[in-house]
Amino acid sequence: MSTTGTIADRSWPRARTAVLRDAVGVGVAVGALGLSFGALSVLAGFSVAQTCALSLLMFSGASQFAVVGVLGAGGGALTGAATATLLGVRNSLYGLNLASLLRLRGVRRLVGAHLVLDESSAMATARDDPREARLAFWATGISVFVLWNIATLGGALGAHVLPDPEAAAGLALVMVPLLPAGTPVLVAGLTAIVAAFAARRAGGR
């Protein structure tokens, strides 16, 4: 074995640990936003089951918020679908860019396509070593998928049980100290939207 190969093999455990740590960090930060999506979706009229299905099957944050926003505001299903499709086009471009790196076939290709996100693509393309890049893609995609869906369920159940906007805002404030740096600002903004939907729904009763 060459000296270069030996050095690379010795450095792999350290590189792998760093990639996995970063992937989990990204998953926590992005997944936390699933709380707001889950709550907003239920307050817009979707059931908990429908909300969770959107996260499991569509799994594209921007597209999911678009669908919920359009339908919650009284728009048609076709308009919501068209908006979501336009927002999801960039994922197809990411997929083309990642195809030569991942080289997936069969079922793995379908799974990989579902995990093509802004975050998984950025984590993969930021690394020069192909092995690190592939690990970064899978680890980030799976981390975001798992945590986003767990958070979606939590947010949906929370909104279902606590439809009062003040309770929703209070819940968000309790969660803020537990979130990664930078995330509280996003959560606060989305919470304002959730509270507005809740107030409108409460006023319509």
PDB file of all heavy atoms in Angstrom, residues 100-115:
ATOM      1  N   SER A 100     -23.193  12.009 -11.088  1.00  0.00           N
ATOM      2  CA  SER A 100     -21.890  11.399 -11.338  1.00  0.00           C
ATOM      3  C   SER A 100     -21.160  11.048 -10.047  1.00  0.00           C
ATOM      4  O   SER A 100     -20.332  10.135 -10.024  1.00  0.00           O
ATOM      5  CB  SER A 100     -21.022  12.341 -12.188  1.00  0.00           C
ATOM      6  OG  SER A 100     -20.821  13.581 -11.517  1.00  0.00           O
ATOM      7  N   LEU A 101     -21.461  11.754  -8.981  1.00  0.00           N
ATOM      8  CA  LEU A 101     -20.819  11.478  -7.695  1.00  0.00           C
ATOM      9  C   LEU A 101     -21.432  10.265  -7.009  1.00  0.00           C
ATOM     10  O   LEU A 101     -20.726   9.367  -6.540  1.00  0.00           O
ATOM     11  CB  LEU A 101     -20.943  12.694  -6.770  1.00  0.00           C
ATOM     12  CG  LEU A 101     -20.535  12.483  -5.317  1.00  0.00           C
ATOM     13  CD1 LEU A 101     -19.032  12.258  -5.222  1.00  0.00           C
ATOM     14  CD2 LEU A 101     -20.958  13.674  -4.460  1.00  0.00           C
ATOM     15  N   LEU A 102     -22.762  10.196  -6.987  1.00  0.00           N
ATOM     16  CA  LEU A 102     -23.447   9.144  -6.239  1.00  0.00           C
ATOM     17  C   LEU A 102     -23.541   7.833  -7.009  1.00  0.00           C
ATOM     18  O   LEU A 102     -23.499   6.758  -6.424  1.00  0.00           O
ATOM     19  CB  LEU A 102     -24.848   9.628  -5.852  1.00  0.00           C
ATOM     20  CG  LEU A 102     -24.891  10.879  -4.969  1.00  0.00           C
ATOM     21  CD1 LEU A 102     -26.331  11.318  -4.739  1.00  0.00           C
ATOM     22  CD2 LEU A 102     -24.182  10.642  -3.639  1.00  0.00           C
ATOM     23  N   ARG A 103     -23.741   7.923  -8.328  1.00  0.00           N
ATOM     24  CA  ARG A 103     -23.827   6.747  -9.192  1.00  0.00           C
ATOM     25  C   ARG A 103     -24.795   5.701  -8.642  1.00  0.00           C
ATOM     26  O   ARG A 103     -24.430   4.550  -8.402  1.00  0.00           O
ATOM     27  CB  ARG A 103     -22.447   6.102  -9.350  1.00  0.00           C
ATOM     28  CG  ARG A 103     -21.420   6.996  -9.996  1.00  0.00           C
ATOM     29  CD  ARG A 103     -20.090   6.301 -10.084  1.00  0.00           C
ATOM     30  NE  ARG A 103     -19.005   7.232  -9.947  1.00  0.00           N
ATOM     31  CZ  ARG A 103     -17.736   6.869  -9.741  1.00  0.00           C
ATOM     32  NH1 ARG A 103     -17.418   5.603  -9.629  1.00  0.00           N
ATOM     33  NH2 ARG A 103     -16.794   7.775  -9.643  1.00  0.00           N
ATOM     34  N   LEU A 104     -26.012   6.102  -8.448  1.00  0.00           N
ATOM     35  CA  LEU A 104     -27.018   5.236  -7.838  1.00  0.00           C
ATOM     36  C   LEU A 104     -27.813   4.482  -8.900  1.00  0.00           C
ATOM     37  O   LEU A 104     -28.034   4.986  -9.992  1.00  0.00           O
ATOM     38  CB  LEU A 104     -27.966   6.062  -6.965  1.00  0.00           C
ATOM     39  CG  LEU A 104     -27.307   6.855  -5.830  1.00  0.00           C
ATOM     40  CD1 LEU A 104     -28.336   7.693  -5.102  1.00  0.00           C
ATOM     41  CD2 LEU A 104     -26.602   5.912  -4.861  1.00  0.00           C
ATOM     42  N   ARG A 105     -28.263   3.290  -8.531  1.00  0.00           N
ATOM     43  CA  ARG A 105     -29.074   2.463  -9.418  1.00  0.00           C
ATOM     44  C   ARG A 105     -30.247   1.879  -8.643  1.00  0.00           C
ATOM     45  O   ARG A 105     -30.177   1.701  -7.434  1.00  0.00           O
ATOM     46  CB  ARG A 105     -28.238   1.311 -10.003  1.00  0.00           C
ATOM     47  CG  ARG A 105     -27.086   1.744 -10.894  1.00  0.00           C
ATOM     48  CD  ARG A 105     -27.576   2.305 -12.224  1.00  0.00           C
ATOM     49  NE  ARG A 105     -26.469   2.623 -13.124  1.00  0.00           N
ATOM     50  CZ  ARG A 105     -25.821   3.767 -13.131  1.00  0.00           C
ATOM     51  NH1 ARG A 105     -26.174   4.716 -12.264  1.00  0.00           N
ATOM     52  NH2 ARG A 105     -24.837   3.993 -13.977  1.00  0.00           N
ATOM     53  N   GLY A 106     -31.319   1.574  -9.339  1.00  0.00           N
ATOM     54  CA  GLY A 106     -32.446   0.877  -8.757  1.00  0.00           C
ATOM     55  C   GLY A 106     -33.107   1.625  -7.614  1.00  0.00           C
ATOM     56  O   GLY A 106     -33.338   2.838  -7.676  1.00  0.00           O
ATOM     57  N   VAL A 107     -33.400   0.878  -6.527  1.00  0.00           N
ATOM     58  CA  VAL A 107     -34.109   1.440  -5.389  1.00  0.00           C
ATOM     59  C   VAL A 107     -33.296   2.540  -4.725  1.00  0.00           C
ATOM     60  O   VAL A 107     -33.846   3.557  -4.280  1.00  0.00           O
ATOM     61  CB  VAL A 107     -34.430   0.330  -4.347  1.00  0.00           C
ATOM     62  CG1 VAL A 107     -35.064   0.944  -3.104  1.00  0.00           C
ATOM     63  CG2 VAL A 107     -35.359  -0.704  -4.951  1.00  0.00           C
ATOM     64  N   ARG A 108     -31.984   2.364  -4.667  1.00  0.00           N
ATOM     65  CA  ARG A 108     -31.132   3.389  -4.051  1.00  0.00           C
ATOM     66  C   ARG A 108     -31.242   4.722  -4.790  1.00  0.00           C
ATOM     67  O   ARG A 108     -31.143   5.780  -4.185  1.00  0.00           O
ATOM     68  CB  ARG A 108     -29.678   2.934  -4.028  1.00  0.00           C
ATOM     69  CG  ARG A 108     -29.398   1.784  -3.085  1.00  0.00           C
ATOM     70  CD  ARG A 108     -27.917   1.552  -2.932  1.00  0.00           C
ATOM     71  NE  ARG A 108     -27.285   2.661  -2.239  1.00  0.00           N
ATOM     72  CZ  ARG A 108     -25.970   2.865  -2.203  1.00  0.00           C
ATOM     73  NH1 ARG A 108     -25.154   2.057  -2.856  1.00  0.00           N
ATOM     74  NH2 ARG A 108     -25.469   3.876  -1.546  1.00  0.00           N
ATOM     75  N   ARG A 109     -31.468   4.650  -6.089  1.00  0.00           N
ATOM     76  CA  ARG A 109     -31.623   5.887  -6.859  1.00  0.00           C
ATOM     77  C   ARG A 109     -32.898   6.611  -6.465  1.00  0.00           C
ATOM     78  O   ARG A 109     -32.917   7.846  -6.353  1.00  0.00           O
ATOM     79  CB  ARG A 109     -31.632   5.562  -8.351  1.00  0.00           C
ATOM     80  CG  ARG A 109     -31.643   6.796  -9.237  1.00  0.00           C
ATOM     81  CD  ARG A 109     -31.408   6.433 -10.685  1.00  0.00           C
ATOM     82  NE  ARG A 109     -31.265   7.603 -11.520  1.00  0.00           N
ATOM     83  CZ  ARG A 109     -30.939   7.577 -12.801  1.00  0.00           C
ATOM     84  NH1 ARG A 109     -30.705   6.405 -13.400  1.00  0.00           N
ATOM     85  NH2 ARG A 109     -30.834   8.683 -13.496  1.00  0.00           N
ATOM     86  N   LEU A 110     -33.978   5.876  -6.240  1.00  0.00           N
ATOM     87  CA  LEU A 110     -35.241   6.488  -5.820  1.00  0.00           C
ATOM     88  C   LEU A 110     -35.104   7.111  -4.433  1.00  0.00           C
ATOM     89  O   LEU A 110     -35.582   8.219  -4.185  1.00  0.00           O
ATOM     90  CB  LEU A 110     -36.353   5.439  -5.805  1.00  0.00           C
ATOM     91  CG  LEU A 110     -36.772   4.864  -7.172  1.00  0.00           C
ATOM     92  CD1 LEU A 110     -37.799   3.766  -6.991  1.00  0.00           C
ATOM     93  CD2 LEU A 110     -37.311   5.971  -8.075  1.00  0.00           C
ATOM     94  N   VAL A 111     -34.440   6.385  -3.531  1.00  0.00           N
ATOM     95  CA  VAL A 111     -34.233   6.906  -2.181  1.00  0.00           C
ATOM     96  C   VAL A 111     -33.349   8.142  -2.224  1.00  0.00           C
ATOM     97  O   VAL A 111     -33.621   9.159  -1.569  1.00  0.00           O
ATOM     98  CB  VAL A 111     -33.603   5.832  -1.270  1.00  0.00           C
ATOM     99  CG1 VAL A 111     -33.283   6.420   0.105  1.00  0.00           C
ATOM    100  CG2 VAL A 111     -34.546   4.639  -1.122  1.00  0.00           C
ATOM    101  N   GLY A 112     -32.278   8.063  -3.001  1.00  0.00           N
ATOM    102  CA  GLY A 112     -31.369   9.200  -3.120  1.00  0.00           C
ATOM    103  C   GLY A 112     -32.059  10.436  -3.670  1.00  0.00           C
ATOM    104  O   GLY A 112     -31.832  11.551  -3.199  1.00  0.00           O
ATOM    105  N   ALA A 113     -32.928  10.235  -4.663  1.00  0.00           N
ATOM    106  CA  ALA A 113     -33.652  11.362  -5.253  1.00  0.00           C
ATOM    107  C   ALA A 113     -34.527  12.047  -4.214  1.00  0.00           C
ATOM    108  O   ALA A 113     -34.683  13.274  -4.229  1.00  0.00           O
ATOM    109  CB  ALA A 113     -34.500  10.884  -6.422  1.00  0.00           C
ATOM    110  N   HIS A 114     -35.092  11.255  -3.302  1.00  0.00           N
ATOM    111  CA  HIS A 114     -35.958  11.822  -2.260  1.00  0.00           C
ATOM    112  C   HIS A 114     -35.166  12.654  -1.263  1.00  0.00           C
ATOM    113  O   HIS A 114     -35.728  13.536  -0.609  1.00  0.00           O
ATOM    114  CB  HIS A 114     -36.684  10.689  -1.542  1.00  0.00           C
ATOM    115  CG  HIS A 114     -37.912  11.119  -0.808  1.00  0.00           C
ATOM    116  ND1 HIS A 114     -38.930  11.848  -1.400  1.00  0.00           N
ATOM    117  CD2 HIS A 114     -38.302  10.939   0.485  1.00  0.00           C
ATOM    118  CE1 HIS A 114     -39.883  12.092  -0.514  1.00  0.00           C
ATOM    119  NE2 HIS A 114     -39.521  11.560   0.641  1.00  0.00           N
ATOM    120  N   LEU A 115     -33.874  12.376  -1.155  1.00  0.00           N
ATOM    121  CA  LEU A 115     -33.038  13.078  -0.180  1.00  0.00           C
ATOM    122  C   LEU A 115     -32.229  14.223  -0.784  1.00  0.00           C
ATOM    123  O   LEU A 115     -31.381  14.810  -0.111  1.00  0.00           O
ATOM    124  CB  LEU A 115     -32.069  12.083   0.487  1.00  0.00           C
ATOM    125  CG  LEU A 115     -32.713  10.948   1.284  1.00  0.00           C
ATOM    126  CD1 LEU A 115     -31.635  10.039   1.866  1.00  0.00           C
ATOM    127  CD2 LEU A 115     -33.598  11.496   2.399  1.00  0.00           C
TER     128      LEU A 115
END
